[in-house]
Amino acid sequence: MKLMSALLATLLLAGPAWAEEAKKEGEAEAPKVAYVNLTPALVGNYGAGAKLKYFKADISLQTGGPEVAKKVEYHEPLIRNQLIMLFSQQTDDSLNGVENKEKLRQEALKEVQQVLNTEEGAPLVDDLLFNNLIIQP
């Protein structure tokens, strides 16, 4: 009986330590991800012609963690400028359809990574997400 209670006490005391070890291992493996939301949304004109056409894009940038996100936020004005310039060069054809929007997303990601590579020496942004993309032709 004493052996059983000693074993039970050992398991109860060792349980939290074992759980903490497993948690620490899990934390080390969990990827660090942080998102930078470009707020307010990007709004502007696109295309050529007599009629004005508008876009509105809510964009989030996926980074490797909070420290990287701070660096990206520091360069947000330049990133916003480059993205607005990219969007303003689009046409109705380049903004219609899922495939074309995916191409635009990839171009925007490359543009952001190029800006950060020039300014910080590394791309820093892993992905670019359109939270909302509204086109008014």
Side-chain angles (χ1 to χ4, degrees):
M1 188 71 163
K2 284 187 176 185
L3 181 63
M4 187 74 140
S5 62
L7 182 60
L8 183 58
T10 304
L11 288 175
L12 289 175
L13 293 175
W18 176 74
E20 285 181 24
E21 265 184 50
K23 185 177 177 182
K24 288 179 184 175
E25 289 176 16
E27 286 175 2
E29 294 173 12
K32 292 184 179 181
V33 175
Y35 292 90
V36 175
N37 294 318
L38 300 182
T39 51
L42 303 177
V43 178
N45 299 354
Y46 74 93
K51 184 180 176 188
L52 290 177
K53 302 170 186 177
Y54 300 97
F55 70 87
K56 178 183 177 188
D58 289 314
I59 296 175
S60 292
L61 304 173
Q62 181 184 353
T63 65
E67 299 83 24
V68 177
K70 287 180 185 177
K71 291 179 181 180
V72 172
E73 287 172 357
Y74 179 77
H75 297 290
E76 186 176 337
L78 182 55
I79 291 169
R80 292 176 67 83
N81 179 68
Q82 294 303 105
L83 289 175
I84 288 173
M85 297 304 289
L86 175 66
F87 275 89
S88 67
Q89 296 170 1
Q90 301 306 307
T91 64
D92 287 333
D93 292 336
S94 68
L95 292 173
N96 286 331
V98 176
E99 296 86 18
N100 291 338
K101 288 179 182 176
E102 177 61 21
K103 286 180 187 175
L104 177 60
R105 188 186 74 78
Q106 292 294 331
E107 287 178 36
L109 175 61
K110 287 178 186 174
E111 191 71 34
V112 169
Q113 288 176 334
Q114 183 179 6
V115 165
L116 292 169
N117 210 11
T118 302
E119 297 297 320
E120 290 287 333
L124 300 181
V125 172
D126 301 324
D127 205 358
L128 181 141
L129 308 167
F130 289 142
N131 296 331
N132 197 1
L133 180 58
I134 300 171
I135 307 299
Q136 183 181 8

